[in-house]
Amino acid sequence: MSKRTWKIGELAKLTGLTVRTLHHYDQIELLTASEVSDAGHRIYLETDIEKLQQIISLKQLGFSLDEIKE
């Protein structure tokens, strides 16, 4: 059984966030991809999407990225 994966563009489209935002989250180590392809592409798994959903929810509640990272 193969696991479902998403590249950064697919994840951006799925969540409504921009690729730039996802790159920023990766840069500040808030959300990093579980895998990286041989070509260097970020590969996100379902667990990453769950974490991203938590980040989005906390942002909507007014938490800063620093607070969320803690």
Side-chain angles (χ1 to χ4, degrees), residues 2-70:
S2 66
K3 58 187 172 185
R4 177 72 171 109
T5 62
W6 293 265
K7 290 184 181 177
I8 197 164
E10 296 169 325
L11 185 58
K13 187 174 183 180
L14 180 68
T15 61
L17 298 173
T18 64
V19 169
R20 190 175 198 295
T21 296
L22 294 171
H23 280 163
H24 178 66
Y25 288 175
D26 185 52
Q27 183 180 14
I28 65 171
E29 299 178 353
L30 182 62
L31 176 74
T32 54
S34 290
E35 300 176 4
V36 178
S37 72
D38 292 339
H41 298 286
R42 294 167 177 90
I43 305 294
Y44 295 90
L45 305 178
E46 193 168 324
T47 54
D48 299 319
I49 291 178
E50 291 168 2
K51 184 174 181 179
L52 182 57
Q53 288 173 331
Q54 290 177 331
I55 292 167
I56 292 168
S57 295
L58 290 169
K59 275 192 54 90
Q60 289 174 341
L61 290 172
F63 289 91
S64 71
L65 294 180
D66 287 334
E67 290 172 321
I68 295 169
K69 189 175 176 181
E70 288 180 27

